[in-house]
Amino acid sequence: MQTQRDPSALHADMLARRSRAERIGFVPTMGFLHAGHTSLMEKARALCDHLVVSIYVNPLQFGPNEDLERYPQDHEGDAAKCAAVGVDTLFLPPELYDPDHSTNVSVSDLADGLCGASRPGHFDGVTTVVARLFGLVQPHVAVFGEKDYQQLAVIRRMVRDLCMPVEVVGGELIRDTDGLAMSSRNAYLSPEERTRGLTLHQALFAIRDAEIPSVADRISLGREILRADRIDYLEIVDAETLKPLRDIDGPARALVAAWIGGTRLIDNIGL
Ligand code: AMP
């Protein structure tokens, strides 16, 4: 595995590989890797010749009072995990944007509700960094996790709307043995907070399994189970459009974002 820190050198290497007809696979991350990340790498590994993983904590997708400054980091441990799953290039740029970077990519509609409503500007930061990373890495295929269900939908829309020649593949949400959706941010949780964090998936599972026709009643049931300090949202939406549903008459998704102490957790499940 090679580690590349220089964006221009990475770009040149990728263009050379493309000209040799190598199929490039890509998994972008913010590091502090866990089994959710490595499952995406394994999925991508099977779809390409040369697998690139990036680790970059993108300031553009953090709000002013969010956890950018304390986002957990472990480059050594991350590199070992990447090597173990057969990553070819680990892209670790100290900086990704030119000082006079002036282009932003913004997806409307799909990015407006849910996390877009509670984290203004977040998805603009995500689509801008992913567009730039796609430009640098030139992947044929990129894998994103269903853990960030809305993010996956927003990126698919960006790729479709801008005719980016990248196949976007979703990877299933990976949970810890206690059911908590794996997340780098779980490292912030005290034992007591982690116990309350478990109520996110418990609420979602109850919503999925309830034999209640009314969407509003299912959401009330979920809210009774949640032991969060604040709920940003708990919604049942159309799995494609992400619009809130009144009745479940097709593929639907329940999504939650809630604060446990100072940590914002998200989770979702198919209904
Ligand atoms: P992050 O490092 O949090 O930006 O995540 C990088 C990628 O890993 C994104 O595509 C996430 O959706 C994905 N990911 C994070 N946690 C999980 C998980 N528990 N299961 C599956 N994918 C995940």
Side-chain angles (χ1 to χ4, degrees):
M1 182 176 82
Q2 62 168 342
T3 298
Q4 183 56 265
R5 293 175 199 276
D6 176 12
S8 307
L10 176 102
H11 188 56
D13 184 24
M14 294 303 135
L15 290 177
R17 291 182 189 280
R18 277 187 83 101
S19 71
R20 297 199 295 268
E22 285 184 37
R23 187 171 159 82
I24 298 170
F26 181 39
V27 179
T29 81
M30 297 203 300
F32 210 67
L33 303 176
H34 50 67
H37 295 115
T38 50
S39 75
L40 305 184
M41 295 176 200
E42 279 159 6
K43 190 155 196 168
R45 177 69 283 173
L47 299 172
C48 68
D49 302 310
H50 190 93
L51 176 56
V52 181
V53 168
S54 65
I55 296 178
Y56 180 66
V57 182
N58 171 38
L60 292 188
Q61 70 190 68
F62 287 78
N65 299 313
E66 295 186 352
D67 57 341
L68 173 64
E69 301 306 331
R70 63 172 183 138
Y71 199 82
Q73 217 185 57
D74 175 17
H75 287 173
E76 229 175 272
D78 289 350
K81 286 173 191 156
C82 289
V85 294
V87 171
D88 298 299
T89 296
L90 176 58
F91 180 39
L92 251 176
E95 188 41 79
L96 199 59
Y97 303 103
D98 294 316
D100 57 349
H101 179 94
S102 345
T103 304
N104 290 295
V105 180
S106 183
V107 172
S108 54
D109 191 35
L110 272 181
D112 294 341
L114 303 167
C115 284
S118 42
R119 301 183 72 188
H122 167 68
F123 285 117
D124 290 357
V126 169
T127 42
T128 298
V129 77
V130 171
R132 182 154 172 85
L133 285 166
F134 280 0
L136 284 167
V137 177
Q138 300 277 312
H140 296 83
V141 57
V143 184
F144 293 84
E146 287 186 346
K147 158 86 187 334
D148 300 86
Y149 191 80
Q150 186 180 16
Q151 170 175 282
L152 174 59
V154 165
I155 287 165
R156 283 192 201 281
R157 181 63 57 85
M158 172 185 77
V159 163
R160 189 204 70 182
D161 288 353
L162 299 182
C163 308
M164 292 176 166
V166 182
E167 182 192 348
V168 175
V169 173
E172 71 166 305
L173 190 161
I174 304 297
R175 299 181 179 283
D176 231 321
T177 45
D178 59 6
L180 188 68
M182 286 201 176
S183 165
S184 309
R185 290 190 168 100
N186 293 348
Y188 299 147
L189 300 171
S190 70
E192 181 274 330
E193 288 173 338
R194 188 174 172 108
T195 303
R196 286 194 292 128
L198 300 180
T199 63
L200 270 80
H201 80 272
Q202 288 163 356
L204 293 177
F205 284 30
I207 285 173
R208 182 193 60 189
D209 298 338
E211 286 176 17
I212 308 174
S214 151
V215 161
D217 290 346
R218 284 192 197 229
I219 289 174
S220 303
L221 171 71
R223 281 185 172 264
E224 280 168 27
I225 293 168
L226 274 176
R227 293 282 170 270
D229 296 296
R230 196 173 94 217
I231 301 173
D232 276 352
Y233 60 79
L234 173 61
E235 288 190 41
I236 296 177
V237 302
D238 180 285
E240 290 273 317
T241 65
L242 307 188
K243 294 278 181 266
L245 290 173
R246 283 197 174 185
D247 308 295
I248 301 172
D249 50 10
R253 203 95 190 168
L255 299 98
V256 63
W259 290 82
I260 308 287
T263 306
R264 186 178 183 275
L265 299 177
I266 59 171
D267 199 346
N268 71 85
I269 199 163
L271 302 185

